[in-house]
Amino acid sequence: MSNQTVGVFPAAGGIGGSTAKHLLPRFPAKDLVFIARHPGKLTSAKSAGADLRRADYDDDASLQHAFDGVNTLFLISYASVGHEHRSERQRLAIDLAIRSGVKTIFYGSLGYGGNPESNESVAHVMQAHLDTEQYLDECTRKHQGFSYTVIREGLYSESYPLYTAFFNPKQPVDEIRIPHDGSGPGIAWVKREELGEGTAELLKKFLKDPARFVYRQKKVLLSGTKTLTLGQTVDILGKIAKHPVRIHQVSPDEFAAQPQVSPNFVYHGFDHSKVWTTTFEAFRRGEAAYASPLLKELLGREPEDFETTIGIA
């Protein structure tokens, strides 16, 4: 293993926290830098001896030296469903990372677009990711010796409320009102914890033999190996809830007007409920149905299926 310092930012969220957890047994703690808005949450990493730093995407001053001494950075996207502000914040983080000496960025993108080599998506939530993927590629031409790998993370099973009008199995309703009939191409759901584990293993493979790493300047997809339609997904949720539930197709406006929907899509004072419905058009086009074998290869086992993950959540 080459003597490289690996950073994760932000490292205390769902994907970041899981990745940090799985990096600890794979690397000496002294070679790990975990950067988070609330680094105090990373108690196990602190106990192990990892370097903890505080930084926030929306705090320019905190980012200035957050990446100093880091060679390889796993950069997780800004937490929002917005577009322009998200893209701008991610560009800034990339610029500051490169200025600090980061030579390789693994970027945590999202699993829309279908085949991971695709550069297009109708999903609004994917637009900032596409911007950032393109910017990373531009950076390889502006900065000699810089490289990247885009990790498109499949839609994680635990995020199903976003696509089911925030259905709650503990308080089930009879109908899930979404702008989709539940049929057609589905989603290759994946457990969030396993995304972190797979990412940690991919980083290990890179640092073990950088010269032979085959994913430089490429996009890869970490997803489940099985695809469920939205209808099948809802059937499983009904089974878990022990309550029959069906999909009722509504217009984008009707979806956005539901009282449980809007509060979950307000970012920086703007309600993204309506633009969120572009994800359902992406589903119709098969953008989330691509089942990649890579995560299974990295884990050395079959990824956990949707029903198991949600049934024990």
Side-chain angles (χ1 to χ4, degrees):
M1 189 80 67
S2 58
N3 186 22
Q4 297 281 314
T5 301
V6 180
V8 177
F9 173 70
I15 297 295
S18 173
T19 303
K21 170 186 171 182
H22 289 286
L23 283 172
L24 283 166
R26 288 171 167 82
F27 294 91
K30 65 179 179 60
D31 294 335
L32 297 173
V33 179
F34 297 140
I35 309 157
R37 184 169 54 180
H38 301 294
K41 293 181 178 180
L42 299 166
T43 53
S44 60
K46 182 178 181 180
S47 300
D51 183 359
L52 303 188
R53 302 177 186 176
R54 187 204 165 273
D56 185 335
Y57 261 123
D58 283 317
D59 180 354
D60 287 15
S62 73
L63 290 170
Q64 294 300 314
H65 298 286
F67 311 110
D68 287 0
V70 173
N71 306 109
T72 301
L73 175 67
F74 176 40
L75 181 68
I76 300 158
S77 63
Y78 179 93
S80 169
V81 298
H83 180 187
E84 288 80 7
H85 182 71
R86 193 181 197 189
S87 294
E88 185 271 327
R89 291 287 90 190
Q90 291 168 184
R91 281 196 301 271
L92 175 64
I94 290 166
D95 288 342
L96 293 177
I98 293 173
R99 189 190 72 180
S100 290
V102 171
K103 295 300 183 185
T104 304
I105 290 178
F106 283 73
Y107 171 65
S109 186
L110 192 56
Y112 286 98
N115 186 306
E117 290 303 313
S118 167
N119 294 314
E120 296 181 355
S121 172
V122 297
H124 176 81
V125 70
M126 189 63 183
Q127 302 314 305
H129 293 295
L130 294 174
D131 289 349
T132 304
E133 292 176 6
Q134 180 179 345
Y135 188 65
L136 285 166
D137 198 54
E138 292 171 6
C139 286
T140 64
R141 293 184 285 278
K142 293 191 295 183
H143 304 282
Q144 186 175 5
F146 174 74
S147 68
Y148 71 89
T149 298
V150 169
I151 303 175
R152 288 191 176 174
E153 297 160 346
L155 306 193
Y156 51 87
S157 300
E158 299 91 334
S159 71
Y160 74 83
L162 295 170
Y163 311 102
T164 57
F166 299 92
F167 179 80
N168 182 354
K170 294 180 180 178
Q171 296 178 312
V173 293
D174 297 334
E175 288 185 342
I176 289 176
R177 297 168 57 83
I178 55 176
H180 196 288
D181 66 5
S183 65
I187 301 167
W189 296 109
V190 60
K191 186 178 184 179
R192 186 172 62 185
E193 174 80 13
E194 292 184 338
L195 286 173
E197 184 180 352
T199 298
E201 186 62 23
L202 194 64
L203 285 162
K204 178 184 174 182
K205 286 182 178 296
F206 167 68
L207 289 165
K208 185 176 181 179
D209 194 350
R212 302 180 75 175
F213 188 70
V214 298
Y215 300 119
R216 287 179 184 270
Q217 274 70 277
K218 291 187 180 297
K219 297 186 284 284
V220 300
L221 174 66
L222 300 186
S223 73
T225 56
K226 300 173 183 176
T227 302
L228 296 175
T229 67
L230 275 174
Q232 291 170 326
T233 299
V234 167
D235 287 344
I236 290 171
L237 292 173
K239 178 181 175 182
I240 291 169
K242 299 179 180 179
H243 183 92
V245 59
R246 62 186 177 276
I247 291 174
H248 179 76
Q249 187 169 6
V250 298
S251 70
D253 285 330
E254 289 173 305
F255 170 83
Q258 295 175 92
Q260 80 278 17
V261 169
S262 180
N264 288 286
F265 287 116
V266 175
Y267 293 86
H268 292 280
F270 181 77
D271 186 351
H272 291 78
S273 302
K274 180 76 175 291
V275 295
W276 180 255
T277 62
T278 56
T279 59
F280 295 98
E281 178 58 28
F283 293 157
R284 276 188 282 271
R285 298 185 185 202
E287 287 196 25
Y290 192 92
S292 167
L294 180 57
L295 181 59
K296 179 180 178 180
E297 294 170 12
L298 292 169
L299 297 178
R301 64 178 187 274
E302 191 72 35
E304 188 169 280
D305 65 89
F306 178 84
E307 183 170 355
T308 300
T309 301
I310 300 306
I312 61 177

